[in-house]
Amino acid sequence: MAMITEVGDFFTKGCGRCARFATPDCSALVWNEGLVALRRLCQEMGLAETVKWAHPVYMHAGRNIAILGALRGDFRLSFMNPGLLRDTAGVLEPQGPNSATPGTIRFTDPAQVAALAPVIRAYLRQLMDHAEAGTKPPKPESRIEMPDELAEALDADAELAEAFHALTPGRQRSYFFNLNQARQSATRVARIEKFRDRIIAGKGATER
């Protein structure tokens, strides 16, 4: 099945990604009223409308600003480069479980669009200003959890704990990453024993 290439088709047929395309069961048609309201807001802000990834995308100053989407349970407006946004209204959610920065507003009732219209306009304006200025979003920091086996080893070995906490954050993360790659707890314990001298020496997991 071919995905749409004309933005208007999204609002009358859907995206073309699944067998529900152009049927009453298509999510884009189920949520059509709300999606059209979001489209109107974006157009009123002077954003250029195009289609990318088979969805309506709104652009300004050569940069993607926002994209519309719909699933069975909700329809949504997702902001591009959400790391630049100040979520003063506290309405943004992560787009998915692997999203580093919240940047999506989900709707379950078309009336919610009108209620949030001032917030949506303000957030679009923020990103339009950043696009004009060429501002780049900050790189999100990825957080890697300390394995339980390492925490236990540090609790039991004061010298190791002191040396580990003296390491730079990057060197600490190198051990977290290395140990978390091991599937078995016994493997992680064995690696910690091998790493002890390296940690005492103030080195990272991959340093010689």
Side-chain angles (χ1 to χ4, degrees):
M1 182 176 295
M3 294 186 292
I4 61 167
T5 56
E6 298 294 329
V7 68
D9 287 344
F10 180 83
F11 300 95
T12 58
K13 300 177 183 178
C15 66
R17 288 178 175 268
C18 74
R20 291 182 287 120
F21 179 61
T23 71
D25 198 33
C26 173
S27 298
L29 301 186
V30 171
W31 296 112
N32 183 260
E33 181 183 350
L35 290 167
V36 168
L38 288 173
R39 180 190 198 187
R40 189 179 305 116
L41 274 176
C42 291
Q43 291 175 327
E44 288 172 354
M45 291 294 295
L47 295 170
E49 184 181 59
T50 186
V51 61
K52 295 185 179 183
W53 312 289
H55 285 74
V57 171
Y58 296 88
M59 302 182 66
H60 182 70
R63 182 180 289 184
N64 296 331
I65 301 297
I67 182 171
L68 302 187
L71 296 175
R72 286 180 180 264
D74 63 70
F75 64 102
R76 56 191 63 186
L77 174 69
S78 295
F79 297 98
M80 306 296 198
N81 297 310
L84 294 172
L85 278 175
R86 299 186 308 278
D87 184 18
T88 53
V91 296
L92 298 180
E93 302 176 34
Q95 186 169 7
N98 297 318
S99 300
T101 306
T104 295
I105 304 178
R106 290 181 173 83
F107 305 87
T108 55
D109 185 335
Q112 293 171 324
V113 176
L116 283 173
V119 173
I120 294 169
R121 291 191 185 97
Y123 286 15
L124 291 173
R125 185 70 257 174
Q126 282 187 50
L127 291 177
M128 291 169 71
D129 291 343
H130 284 301
E132 292 170 5
T135 316
K136 294 184 178 180
K139 292 184 179 179
E141 291 186 13
S142 57
R143 179 167 181 165
I144 307 174
E145 297 295 328
M146 178 186 291
D148 292 340
E149 294 81 2
L150 179 57
E152 292 170 3
L154 297 181
D155 286 342
D157 188 333
E159 183 182 9
L160 180 64
E162 182 179 359
F164 185 83
H165 292 305
L167 294 175
T168 63
R171 289 190 172 102
Q172 291 179 3
R173 284 195 297 271
S174 73
Y175 288 106
F176 296 166
F177 180 77
N178 185 289
L179 295 171
N180 281 325
Q181 285 185 314
R183 295 184 179 181
Q184 302 293 328
S185 177
T187 305
R188 290 190 286 273
V189 170
R191 288 187 182 184
I192 291 167
E193 292 176 356
K194 288 183 179 180
F195 284 147
R196 189 180 189 280
D197 289 344
R198 191 182 298 273
I199 293 171
I200 298 295
K203 296 180 179 180
T206 59
E207 288 183 89
R208 293 180 178 271

